[in-house]
């Protein structure tokens, strides 16, 4: 019996989907434990690019069972479209995908609330993806939400109506101009609910317990990144759930002492999408080149990502909070061609040099302190072994390992599952 976690250690978009896809053959169960359909996990193999929003990344492997846990919020309309997009691959989705009854539902009015709330903030907006995820988690913690299990109840539509009416009153309170046809949105929603019913709903905590008892191997898959965690991220520019290791326990019903390996995924540089502080952000040609070469556009939102140098202060913080046991470095190939690389090793925080991640990292308080490295010119995308990597990249990797105290076991040199070097 094995329960391992796979987490992003930055502001999301680290490449978790690819690594889950690479690792899936080692596990019986892949379980998503938090987040909503704003999380796009990109997988690339056999020349085809796949973007998954809610469905776990193990769906393309024949042997694995995929679970959407209680910590996830599901938009039935987006979910139906995601399943329709997979139909051409002849996957046995009904037997391979099961859903926790305790997962919460994103209603059409949650999306409208999201838009109204963001519009009301003006310049102070936090950069929401407007998928209704924040309002859904608010209803969850406010004990108002609807869950997947409620679909099985006879009075589901009455429960829906009561909550949707409450949302409409809240939308009116924001007093902003948003156009919508709720009747049309609801028709689409209830059609998607009927499709959702075709899948199996489970009491996921019991399912997970029995799977562990039976000796099954389980990989828990997170969405977004640790620096977007609602408690430990750069609040309020965060997501609405716990993206860190603790979220796997509450989002699946797994006891903390059952977790073995914690795989931490990070990019060889850093990206961030939307608003919020970003100490190592680059506003010059170097940053623009990173974005272009790395194709740094959101797989779901299409939004351009902000790019910057690797931040070891933030990375060490994420490793510490999550208890990471193995690191996996993504997009090493994107840094090929730069004469000089920089790595942030400490912050100058209000005039003092610090090595920990402080409460506030706004630019008026934090200036990154860099160490420079010689770059490499080699094209990494065709390399298949660690020995083939340029010496400058190996020095870069070894420095990171020494600083954070955790080994880097995988180096990704391209988007395809085959472009993955095990160290």
């Amino acid at each position: 019996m094995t329960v391992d976690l796979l987490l992003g250690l930055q502001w999301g978009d680290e490449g978790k989907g690819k690594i889950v896809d690479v690792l899936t053959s080692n596990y019986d169960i892949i379980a998503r434990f938090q987040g909503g359909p704003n999380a796009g996990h990109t997988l690339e193999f056999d020349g085809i690019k796949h973007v998954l929003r809610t469905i776990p990344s193990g769906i393309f492997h024949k042997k694995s069972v995929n679970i959407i846990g209680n910590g996830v919020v599901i938009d039935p309309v987006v979910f139906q479209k995601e399943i329709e997009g997979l139909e051409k691959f002849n996957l046995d989705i009904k037997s391979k995908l099961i859903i926790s009854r305790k997962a919460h539902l994103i209603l059409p009015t949650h999306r409208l609330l999201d838009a109204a709330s963001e519009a009301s903030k003006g310049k102070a907006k936090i950069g929401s993806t407007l998928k209704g995820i924040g309002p859904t988690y608010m209803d969850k913690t406010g004990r108002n939400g609807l869950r997947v299990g409620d679909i099985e109840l006879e009075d589901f539509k009455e429960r829906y109506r009561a909550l949707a009416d409450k949302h409409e009153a809240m939308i009116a309170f924001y007093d902003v101009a948003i156009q919508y046809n709720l009747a049309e949105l609801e028709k689409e929603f209830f059609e998607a609910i009927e499709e959702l019913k075709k899948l199996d709903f489970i009491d996921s905590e019991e399912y997970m317990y029995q799977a562990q008892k039976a000796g099954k191997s389980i990989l828990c898959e997170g969405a977004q990144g640790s620096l977007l965690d609602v408690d430990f991220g750069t609040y309020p520019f965060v997501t609405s759930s716990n993206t860190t290791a603790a979220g796997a326990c509450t989002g699946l019903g797994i006891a903390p002492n059952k977790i073995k390996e914690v795989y931490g995924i990070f990019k060889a540089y850093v990206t961030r999408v939307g608003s919020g502080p970003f100490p190592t952000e680059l506003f010059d040609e170097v940053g623009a080149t990173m974005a272009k070469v790395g194709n740094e556009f959101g797989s779901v939102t299409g939004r351009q990502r902000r790019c910057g140098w690797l931040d070891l202060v933030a990375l060490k913080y994420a490793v510490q909070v999550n208890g990471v046991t193995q690191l996996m470095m993504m997009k090493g190939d994107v840094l090929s061609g730069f004469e000089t690389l920089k790595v942030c090793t400490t912050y100058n925080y209000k005039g003092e040099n610090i090595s920990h991640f402080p409460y506030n990292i706004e630019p008026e308080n934090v200036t990154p302190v860099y160490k420079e490295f010689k770059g490499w010119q080699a094209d990494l995308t065709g390399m298949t072994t660690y020995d083939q990597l340029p010496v400058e990249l190996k020095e870069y990797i070894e420095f990171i390992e020494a600083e954070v105290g955790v080994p880097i076991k995988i180096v990704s040199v391209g988007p395809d599952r085959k472009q993955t070097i095990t160290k």
Side-chain angles (χ1 to χ4, degrees):
M1 186 276 291
T2 300
V3 181
D4 297 334
L5 309 187
L6 187 137
L7 309 157
L9 300 181
Q10 295 161 321
W11 280 292
D13 309 310
E14 299 93 351
K16 295 177 291 296
K18 171 186 170 173
I19 293 298
V20 174
D21 180 53
V22 168
L23 295 176
T24 297
S25 58
N26 302 326
Y27 295 92
D28 301 308
I29 295 170
I30 311 297
R32 170 89 178 267
F33 64 82
Q34 51 73 225
N38 63 336
H41 285 182
T42 303
L43 296 74
E44 196 166 317
F45 53 88
D46 300 332
I48 303 172
K49 183 178 178 180
H50 310 270
V51 178
L52 299 174
R53 301 188 183 201
T54 308
I55 296 172
S57 303
I59 196 68
F60 292 103
H61 288 258
K62 291 180 180 178
K63 294 181 181 178
S64 63
V65 173
N66 294 264
I67 297 174
I68 297 173
N70 60 275
V72 178
V73 293
I74 301 171
D75 184 329
V77 176
V78 174
F79 190 71
Q80 181 186 353
K81 290 174 181 173
E82 192 172 348
I83 287 178
E84 288 171 354
L86 294 173
E87 284 175 354
K88 59 179 176 275
F89 300 108
N90 297 315
L91 303 172
D92 185 9
I93 289 175
K94 180 147 179 41
S95 68
K96 287 169 56 67
L97 181 62
I98 50 183
I99 304 173
S100 171
R101 287 188 175 90
K102 290 187 172 73
H104 278 247
L105 295 169
I106 300 175
L107 277 53
T109 44
H110 280 130
R111 297 202 307 271
L112 298 173
L113 262 177
D114 209 352
S117 172
E118 193 76 343
S120 72
K121 292 172 182 169
K123 291 182 179 179
K125 61 186 180 182
I126 61 171
S128 168
T129 56
L130 307 180
K131 305 290 184 185
I133 292 162
T136 305
Y137 277 114
M138 287 172 70
D139 272 342
K140 176 179 179 174
T141 55
R143 297 164 292 177
N144 296 307
L146 289 177
R147 302 188 288 180
V148 168
D150 294 331
I151 296 171
E152 299 172 315
L153 303 177
E154 288 184 9
D155 65 344
F156 173 66
K157 287 195 174 180
E158 288 80 2
R159 290 174 182 237
Y160 169 87
R161 185 78 272 140
L163 184 54
D165 287 349
K166 180 180 178 182
H167 289 164
E168 282 213 271
M170 293 169 69
I171 291 165
F173 170 78
Y174 281 114
D175 194 26
V176 292
I178 58 169
Q179 302 296 319
Y180 62 92
N181 183 333
L182 186 55
E184 196 175 289
L185 294 172
E186 288 181 337
K187 180 176 179 291
E188 190 180 36
F189 176 80
F190 283 107
E191 286 172 357
I193 288 289
E194 292 305 310
E195 291 299 312
L196 194 62
K197 285 180 181 178
K198 294 177 182 178
L199 295 174
D200 290 333
F201 302 157
I202 59 167
D203 298 323
S204 52
E205 62 284 358
E206 175 64 14
Y207 184 97
M208 297 297 276
Y209 175 74
Q210 294 299 338
Q212 292 171 72
K213 207 171 168 184
K216 300 287 186 183
S217 54
I218 301 165
L219 181 64
C220 307
E221 176 186 17
Q224 287 98 21
S226 297
L227 299 181
L228 292 174
D229 184 276
V230 69
D231 283 298
F232 297 105
T234 49
Y235 190 90
F237 303 98
V238 293
T239 194
S240 301
S241 56
N242 288 113
T243 60
T244 45
C249 299
T250 57
L252 290 168
I254 289 175
N257 62 349
K258 302 300 181 187
I259 294 167
K260 186 181 177 186
E261 297 290 342
V262 180
Y263 303 118
I265 316 298
F266 72 101
K267 278 179 182 166
Y269 51 104
V270 183
T271 62
R272 175 162 205 171
V273 70
S275 307
F278 182 175
T280 63
E281 183 173 8
L282 293 166
F283 300 95
D284 57 10
E285 192 60 35
V286 174
T289 301
M290 278 182 191
K292 183 179 179 182
V293 176
N295 191 28
E296 295 297 354
F297 298 90
S299 54
V300 168
T301 62
R303 293 190 293 179
Q304 183 170 341
R305 299 175 188 141
R306 301 149 62 190
C307 296
W309 295 118
L310 183 63
D311 185 339
L312 284 185
V313 179
L315 185 62
K316 281 192 282 189
Y317 171 72
V319 166
Q320 170 189 319
V321 168
N322 288 300
V324 172
T325 59
Q326 296 184 35
L327 286 168
M328 298 173 183
M329 189 176 86
M330 312 302 289
K331 291 198 167 184
D333 53 298
V334 174
L335 293 185
S336 292
F338 291 105
E339 290 293 331
T340 303
L341 304 176
K342 292 183 180 180
V343 174
C344 170
T345 54
T346 58
Y347 291 158
N348 186 300
Y349 179 70
K350 297 181 179 179
E352 179 189 354
N353 213 43
I354 63 168
S355 57
H356 72 277
F357 198 74
Y359 176 77
N360 187 306
I361 60 163
E362 296 291 344
E364 61 267 24
N365 294 319
V366 164
T367 303
V369 178
Y370 291 108
K371 178 178 174 63
E372 291 192 354
F373 290 82
K374 184 182 176 186
W376 57 88
Q377 304 304 311
D379 179 357
L380 310 182
T381 55
M383 297 182 182
T384 56
T385 66
Y386 189 77
D387 289 341
Q388 291 177 302
L389 297 178
V391 64
E392 294 87 356
L393 174 54
K394 289 179 183 174
E395 288 173 357
Y396 188 79
I397 290 168
E398 287 163 9
F399 179 78
I400 296 167
E401 289 178 320
E403 286 290 304
V404 302
V406 177
I408 295 173
K409 294 290 191 178
I410 284 178
V411 180
S412 176
V413 293
D416 195 278
R417 62 163 65 140
K418 294 175 183 174
Q419 294 173 301
T420 308
I421 293 173
T422 303
K423 186 170 163 233

